[in-house]
Amino acid sequence: MALAVLLLGVLLWLLHRNELEEARLALIKDILWVEQNIHFHLDSGEEKLTQLVAELARGDQPVETFEVQARGLIATSGDFDRILLRDAEGGLAAAVPPSVGDRSGEVVGEAAPWWSAFTLAKSIGRAAWSAPFAIPGRGQVFEVHVPIFRDHRFVGMLVGEVAVDSLLAQQVPWWVAEKYKVEIIDANGTTLGAKTNVQLAEPGPSHQVRLEPPGQGVAVVATVYATETNLARNLLAAAIFALAILAVSSLWTMRRHARRRFAAEQALRTEHAFRKAMEDLLTVGMRARDLTGRITYVNPAFCRMVGWSEEELVGCMPPMPYWSPDAMDSTMEWHKRVMAGDAPPDGFEIQFRRRNGETFWALIYEAPLIDANGRQSGWMASVLDVTERKSAEELERWQQEKLQRTGRLITMGEMASTLAHELNQPLSAIASYNTGCLNRLALPEFDPADLRTALTKLGVQAQRAGQIIRRVHDFVRKSEPQLKPCTLNGVVEDTVGFMEFDAKSRGVQLKVSLSPANPAVTADRILLEQVVLNLARNGAEAMAHTPARQRKLSIGVTCQDGQAVVSVADHGPGIAPDVAANLFQPFFTTKEEGMGMGLNICRSIIEYHQGRLWFEPNEGGGAVFRFSLPTRSP
Ligand code: ADP
């Protein structure tokens, strides 16, 4: 733009110079033309005078001839304002038109301004021009002197007088006067006469040409009028410059604006790149939905998770392609809850399907999406693939189960030895009943009723032994827990049956108090019996150092607020605080031959039945282990 302005300036300057040059050339041409015109005019005048002189030299009456001829000459050609006839001494002989008094007091001789021309013409015998001089009332004039010789004798002088003003008036045409002020100046530069239409305040360029004849340093000068076109041109140039400056300044403003915009765009791009990098790096899936449930945004992590591309997902309405067909109803339920603003703040887990058909567990947190105006425009969710965590949990559960099974095997080993003792009891009873029967049979007389009683008791003991064997069988069987309705009174009674022998051998007194309500629960009876058996055996073992009188083990069943509670209270040393902290840890034992699995398994079994197992100090010393189970509604 600056270059354009510069070029424009140079162009204007060149144009101006060109114009000046042209004007100067025109001026020179015009002034030369004017000079030529005057020159021709004066030459022709001189020529005519010379012809008149020849005629006068021949005639006898020079004065009369002169007057006739001179009058004719002035009338036909405007070459001279006046024609004079002087005698050999320079005295005025005649004048056409006649003198009007302005030359009346004229001196002749050296003092006369025309004398040098007179003497020159006389001496060279040809026409000679005078320097300009002023005549009062006539202004500046100059003269041409043509000598008259008759028979080679100088007899007089024919003088043509040219007034500067009338010369300019006649010889400078109007079109020249329109353009220039035309002056005739003498050798000193003094203006002798001028032709002008305008009063020049400030002269323009001028040019001068010597005027020959009359010579003597006389010159014609033309001065150009300072025209108004200059003002117009200057105004135009100023307007162009103003426009250029305006254009430059607006360009500058635009540049600043563009730079600001560019900087803002740059900042935006940086911000966008930062966000994009962050978004791409996220391993958490992000998904936005509008208030109608349509997906409006998904991040790359979400796309990777489900296997559908962003283009395929954005715009989808429920049911979404990644919803698991097996969990369609529950997923729809969750969707409705989220849309109603009822999503749990700590997230929820849901099963989704990948594009390849694989299902996975997703942990979803939903939060309202607030737009720039502060209005809710939808929901934003973060989606975590928790399949691995889930399977880890699953694995843990499985391991726990395995552990329990192992525990059960261990308990089984323990139980096997117990049962071996237990089996001893009915078997020795059977043996003794059998001996009794045989003894009775050996008698010559025997009461069959006695025999029946003994045999019935024997049968009962045999059944008991069978029961013991079945328990072992049931326990060893690697089956899932069999949940069936059963009563807790029954469970405790059966367990006490198993415990009796063991208790007796340890000198422990068993005290059972059953609940009159006889609460019913849904449970695996064998497992519950195992729990009671474990607790009872622990209690009995704890009382090893208790005085024999106090070795009492109380097993009770109570029922309260829909919960059935079984308690096993002993009078042992109680639970020491350091033991209490680890009581339920697997493999924790204080016994030399203990496995430390019992309580841990007991708690797992009770928790499996949605119950709780805990212990408290016994009021009369020792410990009470209690477990509660939800009762079955009738
Ligand atoms: P184990 O009987 O094989 O040692 P348990 O898990 O049944 O394994 O018991 C762990 C420990 O808890 C026992 O070693 C014992 O120290 C303590 N304990 C259990 N029951 C009682 C009780 N009734 N009184 C005192 N200590 C007990």
Side-chain angles (χ1 to χ4, degrees), residues 4-221:
V5 170
L6 190 78
L7 284 175
L8 206 73
V10 169
L11 184 76
L12 273 172
W13 181 74
L14 281 176
L15 274 174
H16 179 62
R17 252 189 46 160
N18 203 27
E19 201 176 309
L20 281 184
E21 187 60 29
E22 267 179 20
R24 205 174 68 83
L25 284 176
L27 167 69
I28 292 169
K29 209 174 82 189
D30 289 345
I31 196 69
L32 280 174
W33 187 87
V34 169
E35 189 269 332
Q36 282 291 312
N37 211 27
I38 294 173
H39 179 80
F40 177 75
H41 178 69
L42 295 179
D43 270 357
S44 87
E46 188 187 318
E47 179 70 25
K48 282 171 189 154
L49 282 190
T50 312
Q51 282 172 10
L52 184 56
V53 162
E55 207 169 312
L56 289 179
R58 275 197 308 275
D60 306 335
Q61 293 174 320
V63 176
E64 286 77 25
T65 317
F66 160 76
E67 279 183 345
V68 173
Q69 291 292 342
R71 210 170 282 129
L73 200 66
I74 285 175
T76 53
S77 76
D79 292 343
F80 299 106
D81 296 296
R82 192 192 292 192
I83 301 171
L84 308 174
L85 183 66
R86 291 186 187 277
D87 57 23
E89 279 71 43
L92 190 61
V96 174
S99 288
V100 285
D102 51 344
R103 284 194 180 232
S104 50
E106 163 183 88
V107 287
V108 175
E110 287 293 331
W114 43 266
W115 190 250
S116 56
F118 182 86
T119 48
L120 181 66
K122 181 180 154 189
S123 61
I124 59 173
R126 279 200 288 115
W129 288 81
S130 76
F133 56 92
I135 297 175
R138 297 280 310 277
Q140 293 287 340
V141 297
F142 48 81
E143 295 174 339
V144 57
H145 291 242
V146 187
I148 310 167
F149 289 94
R150 189 174 291 148
D151 303 330
H152 304 290
R153 192 171 52 83
F154 176 66
V155 291
M157 191 73 82
L158 190 63
V159 179
E161 183 190 297
V162 180
V164 171
D165 283 342
S166 70
L167 179 71
L168 284 173
Q170 279 175 30
Q171 300 310 319
V172 177
W174 64 269
W175 53 267
V176 174
E178 280 294 304
K179 290 201 273 183
Y180 317 106
K181 172 189 180 182
V182 184
E183 294 166 293
I184 291 179
I185 56 169
D186 66 9
N188 303 322
T190 315
T191 305
L192 306 175
K195 179 165 181 174
T196 176
N197 287 346
V198 187
Q199 199 56 42
L200 280 181
E202 202 183 300
S206 66
H207 193 78
Q208 72 179 53
V209 180
R210 290 192 144 248
L211 208 52
E212 199 83 48
Q216 319 280 348
V218 173
V220 62
V221 181

Side-chain angles (χ1 to χ4, degrees), residues 410 414 534-543 553 568-576 579-580 582-602 615 622-625:
I410 293 161
E414 287 178 347
N534 258 323
L535 296 179
R537 195 184 300 131
N538 274 350
E541 281 172 359
M543 290 189 290
L553 188 73
V568 181
D570 63 66
H571 290 87
I575 312 286
V579 175
N582 299 309
L583 208 59
F584 293 102
Q585 296 297 321
F587 306 116
F588 173 79
T589 181
T590 57
K591 298 166 195 165
E592 267 183 23
E593 289 174 5
M595 290 294 294
M597 285 306 297
L599 284 176
N600 177 263
I601 292 170
C602 285
F615 64 89
V624 192
F625 279 82

Side-chain angles (χ1 to χ4, degrees), residues 262-539:
F262 181 74
E265 272 175 10
Q266 192 69 27
L268 204 73
R269 263 201 296 278
T270 313
E271 177 70 23
H272 181 76
F274 178 74
R275 277 174 53 102
K276 183 94 180 58
M278 226 164 69
E279 223 183 86
D280 292 351
L281 258 180
L282 269 185
T283 52
V284 178
M286 302 291 290
R287 175 199 62 185
R289 287 179 296 181
D290 63 14
L291 290 171
T292 63
R294 186 187 305 278
I295 295 181
T296 54
Y297 165 81
V298 284
N299 75 340
F302 186 80
C303 294
R304 279 198 298 276
M305 211 180 278
V306 297
W308 274 273
S309 72
E310 188 185 340
E311 291 75 33
E312 287 166 320
L313 287 175
V314 169
C316 276
M317 287 288 280
M320 307 298 182
Y322 51 82
W323 284 12
S324 170
D326 305 335
M328 204 52 105
D329 291 345
S330 65
T331 313
M332 190 51 111
E333 277 305 308
W334 275 116
H335 174 76
K336 283 179 183 158
R337 273 186 71 177
V338 170
M339 287 294 130
D342 196 21
D346 46 355
F348 56 93
E349 283 179 8
I350 205 167
Q351 202 174 28
F352 279 163
R353 183 172 66 112
R354 296 191 217 281
R355 193 171 206 165
N356 58 14
E358 213 174 282
T359 54
F360 69 100
W361 280 93
L363 173 60
I364 300 177
Y365 295 93
E366 292 275 359
L369 196 64
I370 308 296
D371 68 10
N373 301 322
R375 278 196 299 266
Q376 185 182 353
S377 60
W379 297 94
M380 176 61 97
S382 70
V383 184
L384 274 160
D385 186 346
V386 290
T387 314
E388 276 183 23
R389 199 197 72 195
K390 274 257 176 193
S391 51
E393 277 174 11
E394 200 76 12
L395 188 71
E396 200 182 340
R397 208 171 52 236
W398 182 77
Q399 279 172 341
Q400 192 70 22
E401 236 167 54
K402 210 170 127 189
L403 202 67
Q404 280 181 16
R405 218 165 262 162
T406 318
R408 195 187 286 186
L409 276 175
I410 293 161
T411 317
M412 190 193 72
E414 287 178 347
M415 215 170 79
S417 66
T418 316
L419 288 178
H421 285 296
E422 280 175 38
L423 265 179
N424 254 346
Q425 196 192 9
L427 286 179
S428 52
I430 287 169
S432 69
Y433 285 130
N434 185 43
T435 316
C437 283
L438 285 175
N439 289 344
R440 294 280 160 91
L441 280 174
L443 291 176
E445 283 173 26
F446 62 90
D447 188 358
D450 281 354
L451 210 59
R452 188 175 292 118
T453 310
L455 284 175
T456 308
K457 284 187 176 176
L458 187 145
V460 169
Q461 289 303 321
Q463 264 176 9
R464 188 150 191 76
Q467 260 181 8
I468 291 169
I469 303 291
R470 200 162 53 249
R471 276 173 54 76
V472 176
H473 180 252
D474 280 354
F475 189 75
V476 171
R477 227 178 28 193
K478 234 167 89 182
S479 61
E480 291 294 304
Q482 303 286 317
L483 296 180
K484 281 182 188 154
C486 58
T487 62
L488 280 181
N489 282 359
V491 168
V492 169
E493 272 177 332
D494 276 3
T495 317
V496 169
F498 298 130
M499 262 303 283
E500 264 172 355
F501 185 82
D502 193 33
K504 211 175 273 176
S505 65
R506 291 174 190 272
V508 172
Q509 236 178 295
L510 281 180
K511 219 181 121 199
V512 181
S513 71
L514 300 174
S515 164
N518 193 13
V521 293
T522 306
D524 185 317
R525 191 188 179 106
I526 303 284
L527 291 178
L528 283 193
E529 283 178 9
Q530 193 58 40
V531 171
V532 181
L533 197 64
N534 258 323
L535 296 179
R537 195 184 300 131
N538 274 350

